[in-house]
C-alpha cells in the first residue's frame, strides 16, 4: 500500500523549518511546500552569511519552495532572533501550524575530550534552541487549535542501551533534550489539537555534516528525502503523538514496504546499515567527530 498522498490537508498551512538552508532542512521545506504548505525557511545562512564551509541561503530555498514561502535569517543561539522569526511568520501569514526543529550541532567525543565551550554550544543549538522555538510556536498554534511539532531527536536510550552513549554523551544530552521538548509539546498540546513527536534516522543521512565529517562511504547513506517524507506523513497524521520515531519504522506504519525504501538509497544497489537505530548491533560504535579541522586525527581514532 503506498504512502498516503497529501490532499488539501496542508494547503494554506504554515510551517517553520529550522536549519532549512541546506541538507535535511531544505529537503523537509521542499516536501512540505509540494504538499501545499507555505514554509518559513529559518536558518543562519542567508545571502551574505553563506560561506564555502557553510553554504546555503534561506531566501533561495524559499524561492524553490514557492507558495509564497519566505526565508528568515535566524540564529537558534539567539532568543531574540528566534522570537523575531515566529513574529515574522505570524505577521506575514497570520498563523503557524507546523514546526520542524531540524537545526543541530554535532559533537561526538569522549566526556574528557569535551570542552565546556563545546558542551554549551551543542546544548544551546539543540535542546535550548528547539525549546524556545517550540515555546513561541505553540503559543500561536494553541490559538489556531492545530499544531504539529516535529523535532529531529533520537529515542532516549534506557539503561540497557547505555553503550550508545559512548563518545556521544554530551551530544545525546543535547539531542535527547530535543526529544523531550517534542514529548512535552505532545503532553501540553493534546487538548489543543497539537501533536508532538521526535524523529530519527535509522541510517546515516546524506547532509553537509555527513559529507564534511566523512561519516563512512556514501554507499551506506540514505537520502534526506526519507526524513522529509516522514515529516509530511506526520503532518497528515493526527493520531501519532508523544512518540520517539525511527524514520523507516514509522513509514512502515503508514504503508511503506521493503521496495519503497530503495528510492532513498544514495547507491540504489546498496542497502545502508541501520547504524543509528536503537539496539543496533553496532551500538557503541567507536566514532569521533566534531571539529572539521581535527578530522584526520578523529578518523585515525575511529572505526568509521
Amino acid at each position: 500500500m503506498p504512502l498516503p498522498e497529501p490532499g488539501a490537508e496542508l494547503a494554506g498551512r504554515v510551517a517553520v523549518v529550522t536549519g532549512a538552508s541546506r541538507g535535511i532542512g531544505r529537503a523537509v521545506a521542499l516536501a512540505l511546500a509540494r504538499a501545499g504548505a507555505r514554509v518559513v525557511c529559518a536558518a543562519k545562512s542567508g545571502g551574505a552569511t553563506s560561506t564555502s564551509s557553510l553554504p546555503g541561503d534561506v531566501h533561495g530555498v524559499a524561492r524553490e519552495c514557492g507558495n509564497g514561502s519566505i526565508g528568515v535569517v535566524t540564529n537558534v543561539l539567539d532568543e531574540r532572533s528566534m522570537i523575531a522569526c515566529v513574529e515574522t511568520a505570524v505577521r506575514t501569514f497570520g498563523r503557524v501550524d507546523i514546526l520542524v526543529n531540524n537545526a543541530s550541532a554535532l559533537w561526538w567525543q569522549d566526556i574528557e575530550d569535551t570542552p565546556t565551550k563545546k558542551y554549551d554550544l551543542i546544548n544551546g543549538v539543540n535542546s535550548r534552541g528547539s525549546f524556545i522555538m517550540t515555546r513561541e510556536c505553540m503559543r500561536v498554534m494553541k490559538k489556531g487549535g492545530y499544531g504539529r511539532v516535529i523535532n529531529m531527536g533520537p529515542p532516549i536510550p534506557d539503561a540497557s542501551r547505555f553503550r550508545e552513549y559512548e563518545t556521544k554523551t554530551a551530544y545525546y544530552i543535547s539531542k535527547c533534550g530535543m526529544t523531550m521538548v517534542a514529548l512535552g509539546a505532545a503532553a501540553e498540546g493534546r487538548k489543543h489539537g497539537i501533536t508532538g513527536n521526535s524523529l530519527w534516522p535509522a541510517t546515516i543521512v546524506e547532509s553537509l555534516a555527513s559529507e564534511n565529517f566523512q561519516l563512512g562511504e556514501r554507499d551506506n547513506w540514505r537520502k534526506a528525502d526519507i526524513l522529509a517524507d516522514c515529516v509530511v506523513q506526520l503532518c497528515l497524521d493526527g493520531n501519532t503523538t508523544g512518540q520517539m520515531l525511527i524514520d523507516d519504522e514509522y513509514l512502515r506504519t503508514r504503508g511503506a514496504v521493503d521496495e519503497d525504501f530503495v528510492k532513498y538509497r544514495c547507491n540504489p544497489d546498496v542497502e545502508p546499515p541501520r547504524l543509528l537505530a536503537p539496539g543496533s548491533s553496532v551500538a557503541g560504535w567507536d566514532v569521533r567527530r566534531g571539529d572539521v579541522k581535527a578530522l584526520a586525527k578523529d578518523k585515525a581514532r575511529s572505526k568509521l
Side-chain angles (χ1 to χ4, degrees):
M1 182 175 69
L3 295 175
E5 290 285 342
E9 298 96 332
L10 300 187
R13 296 290 185 189
V14 175
V16 177
V17 181
T18 68
S21 60
R22 55 184 172 266
I24 294 168
R26 173 179 173 273
V28 168
L30 291 172
L32 287 170
R34 287 193 297 268
R38 295 170 291 180
V39 186
V40 178
C41 301
K44 193 175 180 180
S45 301
T49 64
S50 178
T51 66
S52 58
S53 60
L54 289 175
D57 180 358
V58 288
H59 305 297
V61 175
R63 288 192 293 271
E64 288 184 82
C65 288
N67 291 358
S69 298
I70 61 172
V72 181
V73 175
T74 307
N75 181 356
V76 295
L77 285 171
D78 184 339
E79 179 183 19
R80 291 185 179 181
S81 180
M82 289 183 278
I83 292 172
C85 174
V86 178
E87 289 177 343
T88 298
V90 174
R91 186 168 58 251
T92 304
F93 300 117
R95 59 192 302 151
V96 172
D97 304 292
I98 299 159
L99 170 63
V100 182
N101 278 306
N102 164 71
S104 185
L106 182 145
W107 182 261
W108 293 348
Q109 299 287 352
D110 289 338
I111 292 172
E112 62 265 33
D113 292 328
T114 300
T116 302
K117 185 176 180 179
K118 282 292 185 182
Y119 180 91
D120 290 343
L121 172 67
I122 61 174
N123 278 280
V125 171
N126 299 348
S127 56
R128 180 179 181 272
S130 63
F131 181 89
I132 293 172
M133 286 298 294
T134 300
R135 181 188 70 197
E136 298 305 309
C137 287
M138 281 191 69
R139 288 171 173 164
V140 184
M141 290 173 178
K142 284 184 177 181
K143 294 177 182 178
Y146 173 97
R148 300 285 185 266
V149 176
I150 303 164
N151 290 357
M152 298 298 180
I156 300 171
D158 59 28
S160 68
R161 290 166 36 214
F162 75 95
R163 286 191 59 201
E164 293 176 28
Y165 290 103
E166 189 172 353
T167 73
K168 302 179 189 68
T169 300
Y171 180 72
Y172 260 52
I173 290 171
S174 70
K175 292 297 287 185
C176 289
M178 295 179 73
T179 298
M180 295 176 74
V181 170
L183 299 180
E188 297 176 17
R190 60 192 179 89
K191 296 179 181 179
H192 304 278
I194 300 170
T195 64
N197 296 283
S198 67
L199 179 62
W200 193 244
T203 68
I204 293 175
V205 170
E206 184 178 30
S207 67
L208 188 68
S210 56
E211 293 169 358
N212 281 351
F213 290 114
Q214 298 179 24
L215 297 177
E217 299 297 325
R218 190 173 182 274
D219 284 358
N220 292 323
W221 302 348
R222 279 179 174 158
K223 300 175 184 177
D225 294 340
I226 188 169
L227 290 169
D229 285 351
C230 282
V231 167
V232 171
Q233 290 301 312
L234 280 167
C235 290
L236 300 176
D237 179 2
N239 296 317
T240 299
T241 190
Q243 300 297 307
M244 301 182 292
L245 303 168
I246 300 297
D247 56 3
D248 53 10
E249 294 174 5
Y250 174 66
L251 288 180
R252 289 184 186 280
T253 71
R254 300 290 287 173
V257 294
D258 286 349
E259 52 265 34
D260 294 323
F261 294 97
V262 174
K263 65 183 179 184
Y264 299 123
R265 297 174 182 172
C266 287
N267 181 340
D269 298 321
V270 178
E271 179 62 23
R274 302 176 82 249
L275 288 174
L276 304 182
S280 167
S281 60
V282 291
W285 46 301
D286 187 355
V287 57
R288 292 168 172 80
R289 296 292 193 274
D291 186 344
V292 174
K293 296 177 182 177
L295 182 60
K297 177 182 177 183
D298 282 343
K299 288 184 69 177
R301 299 171 62 206
S302 303
K303 296 178 181 177
L304 178 68

